[in-house]
């Protein structure tokens, strides 16, 4: 038993070291250390400031402790009790003043940024308003001023304030785009939260759900695509064009009867499920199957991802509420045809 405990004690420092090293591993596109907007940059500056203050305090405290241990250690042959010193008012004032000063140094910029980033820009005429609704396990984005309702891929103009109104359709979720800013919950019981983000440059940013919300919480991603004003206006115009249905009349009717009872394409369909308009232009299917248009490793053709999703939705994203197309009467051939149709449903933007 003793030998086993000795082995465990030797392994504990090694395990602690591995835990420290592995805690720094992760995806670059989900890092708060890669700010791409003023909100994220301000939050990173606060992190740097607080870490710097804590580091200085730690160095000073450990330095004084080391000095005292060396300077006043018991020397050989020294048996008498050292003189007891207490009640030094000057030192007490210094030890009290320094922490207060450090708290003020951290508090002033923290309060400034908290109030600045907590402003509600929903009624700001210069902001682009987006209503965000979280679902198990996908994201719905509605642009009330543009008459556009989409899903999974949020398109925004570069350099403009994007005012978000956040709510949930079911359980508690949390909206998070690490490169653009902090998290904000989509609360239950009808409460609504607001936040504002800005993207400084044209790029695609990864968003996540930051609240454990069910078996596919880890698969609840979305994309934020920041584009210039002209590209954004072109996307809005293309999105609002009339629906394009499958060329085969029988397949189109079956698609309308089954799929469009929940989903929408163009000006047709329902709003219970993700809007499929322009799905062939998106970087992902079901938010986690990467399409080859993204240009990233591990991608597949959009049609192949659609086939994989439609053949067995629960295998791709367990716990999602989409019925299996086969249970709705779609044959494998019809699923292939629907996948081909959706893969080629692209927006000209």
């Amino acid at each position: 038993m003793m030998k086993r405990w000795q082995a465990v004690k030797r392994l504990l420092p090694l395990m602690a070291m591995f835990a420290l090293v592995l805690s720094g591993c992760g995806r670059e596109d989900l890092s708060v250390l890669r700010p791409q907007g003023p909100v994220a940059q301000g939050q990173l500056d606060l992190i740097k400031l607080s870490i710097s203050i804590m580091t200085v305090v730690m160095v000073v405290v450990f330095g004084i402790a080391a000095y005292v241990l060396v300077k006043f250690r018991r020397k050989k042959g020294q048996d008498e009790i050292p003189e007891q010193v207490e009640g030094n008012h000057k030192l007490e004032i210094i030890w009290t003043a320094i922490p207060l000063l450090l708290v003020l140094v951290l508090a002033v910029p923290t309060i400034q940024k908290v109030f600045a980033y907590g402003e509600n820009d929903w009624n700001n005429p210069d902001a682009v308003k987006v209503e965000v609704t979280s679902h198990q396990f996908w994201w719905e984005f509605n642009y009330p001023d543009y008459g556009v309702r989409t899903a999974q891929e949020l398109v925004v103009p570069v350099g403009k304030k994007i005012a978000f109104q956040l709510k949930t359709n079911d359980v508690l979720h949390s909206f998070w785009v690490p490169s653009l800013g902090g998290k904000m919950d989509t609360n239950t019981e009808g409460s609504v939260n607001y936040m504002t983000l800005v993207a400084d440059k044209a790029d695609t940013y990864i968003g996540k759900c930051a609240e454990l919300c069910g078996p596919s919480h880890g698969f609840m991603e979305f994309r934020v695509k920041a584009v210039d004003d002209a590209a954004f206006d072109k996307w809005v115009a293309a999105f609002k064009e009339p629906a394009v249905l499958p060329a085969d009349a029988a397949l189109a009717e079956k698609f309308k009867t089954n799929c469009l009872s929940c989903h929408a394409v163009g000006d047709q369909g329902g709003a219970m499920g993700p809007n499929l308009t322009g799905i062939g232009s998106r970087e992902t299917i079901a938010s986690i199957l990467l399409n080859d248009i993204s240009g990233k490793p591990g991608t597949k053709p959009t049609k192949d991802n659609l086939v994989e999703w439609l053949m067995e939705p629960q295998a791709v994203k367990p716990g999602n509420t989409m019925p299996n197309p086969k249970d709705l009467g779609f044959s494998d051939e019809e699923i292939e045809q629907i996948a081909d149709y959706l893969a080629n449903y692209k927006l000209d933007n």
Side-chain angles (χ1 to χ4, degrees):
M1 186 67 179
M2 183 61 68
K3 291 183 178 179
R4 183 180 300 174
W5 172 242
Q6 292 295 331
V8 171
K9 286 202 299 185
R10 293 192 187 97
L11 286 174
L12 281 176
L14 185 62
M15 292 171 64
M17 183 184 68
F18 279 137
L20 181 63
V21 171
L22 292 174
S23 67
C25 298
R27 290 165 49 177
E28 182 182 355
D29 54 12
L30 284 174
S31 174
V32 297
L33 304 179
R34 181 180 170 266
Q36 300 297 314
V39 177
Q41 184 62 57
Q43 291 169 346
L44 179 61
D45 291 342
L46 281 178
I47 292 174
K48 290 180 178 178
L49 177 61
S50 61
I51 290 176
S52 299
I53 290 174
M54 288 185 288
T55 301
V56 169
V57 170
M58 185 180 70
V59 169
V60 171
V61 170
F62 276 84
I64 292 175
Y67 171 78
V68 170
L69 286 172
V70 173
K71 176 74 174 177
F72 300 103
R73 72 186 185 278
R74 183 189 294 272
K75 298 178 176 59
K76 187 175 181 180
Q78 185 180 17
D79 298 324
E80 70 276 8
I81 298 175
E83 180 185 355
Q84 303 301 297
V85 179
E86 61 182 29
N88 190 317
H89 295 296
K90 184 182 294 185
L91 285 177
E92 289 174 359
I93 292 171
I94 292 174
W95 301 145
T96 304
I98 290 176
L100 286 176
L101 179 62
L102 293 177
V103 169
L104 285 174
V105 170
L106 182 60
V108 171
T110 299
I111 292 172
Q112 288 176 337
K113 285 184 169 57
V114 165
F115 277 94
Y117 300 150
E119 289 183 1
N120 185 350
D121 287 295
W122 189 252
N123 295 319
N124 183 344
D126 297 324
V128 176
K129 294 191 288 188
V130 179
E131 297 173 347
V132 177
T133 305
S134 55
H135 302 257
Q136 289 182 312
F137 299 93
W138 59 281
W139 296 91
E140 179 182 357
F141 306 116
N142 179 45
Y143 301 70
D145 293 339
Y146 295 91
V148 168
R149 185 184 298 272
T150 186
Q152 299 302 90
E153 192 164 288
L154 176 66
V155 181
V156 299
V158 169
K160 286 191 176 180
K161 287 186 175 181
I162 313 300
F164 294 101
Q165 182 188 81
L166 300 140
K167 56 187 178 179
T168 182
N169 186 63
D170 36 58
V171 302
L172 176 67
H173 301 272
S174 190
F175 180 86
W176 186 31
V177 188
S179 294
L180 299 182
K183 310 167 187 176
M184 182 64 74
D185 287 348
T186 60
N187 294 324
T188 57
E189 300 179 354
S191 62
V192 177
N193 284 334
Y194 295 88
M195 71 182 300
T196 301
L197 297 177
V198 180
D200 277 342
K201 67 176 185 177
D203 203 347
T204 299
Y205 308 101
I206 309 298
K208 293 281 289 186
C209 175
E211 186 72 37
L212 183 60
C213 57
S216 284
H217 158 70
F219 300 147
M220 194 171 166
E221 291 189 358
F222 61 96
R223 299 295 189 273
V224 178
K225 188 176 180 181
V227 298
D228 59 45
D229 289 346
F232 178 74
D233 292 339
K234 193 174 181 181
W235 174 78
V236 170
F239 199 96
K240 298 173 73 173
E241 290 179 358
V244 177
L245 295 177
D248 183 277
L251 183 65
E253 185 59 33
K254 196 168 185 178
F255 178 75
K256 288 175 62 177
T257 303
N258 293 278
C259 304
L260 296 191
S261 61
C262 293
H263 300 278
V265 288
D267 55 352
Q268 298 188 34
M272 290 179 60
N275 192 302
L276 303 179
T277 306
I279 190 172
S281 303
R282 298 177 191 169
E283 291 192 3
T284 66
I285 300 300
S287 77
I288 56 170
L289 300 177
L290 298 177
N291 298 329
D292 53 8
I293 60 173
S294 68
K296 296 179 180 178
T299 61
K300 294 194 299 185
T302 304
K303 180 183 175 181
D304 292 353
N305 283 334
L306 280 163
V307 170
E308 181 179 349
W309 168 248
L310 294 173
M311 285 291 186
E312 192 56 65
Q314 291 301 322
V316 176
K317 188 178 282 191
N320 80 86
T321 58
M322 176 174 161
N324 192 316
K326 292 183 178 180
D327 295 337
L328 299 176
F330 284 89
S331 65
D332 289 354
E333 182 181 359
E334 287 172 328
I335 288 176
E336 288 270 355
Q337 292 173 330
I338 292 294
D340 184 67
Y341 153 70
L342 292 174
N344 288 290
Y345 200 135
K346 301 179 180 181
L347 298 182
D348 182 19
N349 63 334

